[in-house]
Amino acid sequence: MAAVAVFGLSNVNAQDENTVGGFAQNDVYVSGTVGFNSTSQDETKFNNVTLSPTVGYFVSENIALEFNLLVGSQKQEVGDFEQKQSQFGAGLGAVYFFTPSNQFSFTLGAGVSYVSNKEEEDGVDEDFKSDIIGFAVAPGVNYFVSDDFALRASIGALSYTSEKADFEGAEAINNFGLNLNLSDINFGITYKF
């Protein structure tokens, strides 16, 4: 048992000396998330694909500014009826890294976004279009698996969105939400240059 304890302690000390990754001021990184969801039951099918690439730059030791794009596509089929939805948007935000130079860091991000939404439906001549403006604050984590690659996750969010249809006289639909449970986790990969 003493040999196992000595071996374990020497491994821990060796890992501390060989810590990988970490961010510093003026670092640039690219990150992103990809999502896919497919559901089917009898004649009902639903597919959802999202892609969100991000570029970040550390303006200080702890704060990174981020610019991201959002591309999304949804398709729902019920028998012969088909409905398609597509989104394209962009966002700007900032992320605070509590321990950026470490292999593991908690983060807190905030950002604003704009998304253009378009829906096509069988039997309807004109497409439904809307514009969505949003603001969100989300806690997360960042973990380097090598000097250049990190795994990233955000858990829930405090968010506000306002969606307005693209026709005269339309009223905005405002949504405020607080979700800090494990039902809303987003995973991503980060590459540091």
Side-chain angles (χ1 to χ4, degrees):
M1 290 191 57
V4 170
V6 169
F7 178 73
L9 287 175
S10 66
N11 252 356
V12 168
N13 288 338
Q15 286 178 358
D16 285 344
E17 293 170 6
N18 297 323
T19 301
V20 297
F23 287 114
Q25 187 171 351
N26 297 322
D27 278 351
V28 176
Y29 61 88
V30 292
S31 183
T33 58
V34 176
F36 174 74
N37 184 25
S38 180
T39 306
S40 65
Q41 180 183 12
D42 294 331
E43 292 186 5
T44 303
K45 295 178 183 176
F46 176 79
N47 293 313
N48 180 22
V49 178
T50 58
L51 173 66
S52 183
T54 301
V55 175
Y57 174 72
F58 271 83
V59 294
S60 72
E61 185 178 313
N62 294 83
I63 299 174
L65 294 182
E66 292 187 339
F67 173 76
N68 69 310
L69 295 176
L70 171 69
V71 179
S73 175
Q74 297 175 356
K75 183 178 178 182
Q76 183 173 0
E77 297 176 49
V78 180
D80 293 334
F81 174 78
E82 185 176 276
Q83 182 183 32
K84 295 179 184 176
Q85 185 176 10
S86 59
Q87 294 109 9
F88 182 77
L92 186 62
V95 180
Y96 183 85
F97 287 74
F98 288 89
T99 53
S101 61
N102 293 353
Q103 185 174 7
F104 177 82
S105 180
F106 286 105
T107 63
L108 184 61
V112 295
S113 62
Y114 167 79
V115 176
S116 176
N117 184 48
K118 178 181 171 184
E119 293 180 27
E120 303 170 45
E121 196 172 295
D122 283 347
V124 178
D125 293 335
E126 196 169 320
D127 297 338
F128 174 79
K129 297 178 183 176
S130 62
D131 299 313
I132 305 166
I133 295 174
F135 174 77
V137 177
V141 294
N142 190 75
Y143 180 75
F144 276 91
V145 294
S146 72
D147 285 334
D148 299 323
F149 284 98
L151 301 177
R152 189 175 192 179
S154 65
I155 304 153
L158 172 65
S159 62
Y160 170 79
T161 60
S162 180
E163 179 176 9
K164 188 170 183 180
D166 213 3
F167 61 84
E168 195 173 321
E171 292 190 21
I173 300 170
N174 299 311
N175 184 13
F176 176 79
L178 175 61
N179 182 7
L180 295 177
N181 62 36
L182 297 178
S183 68
D184 187 16
I185 300 176
N186 294 305
F187 293 101
I189 296 175
T190 300
Y191 176 75
K192 179 181 78 169
F193 291 97

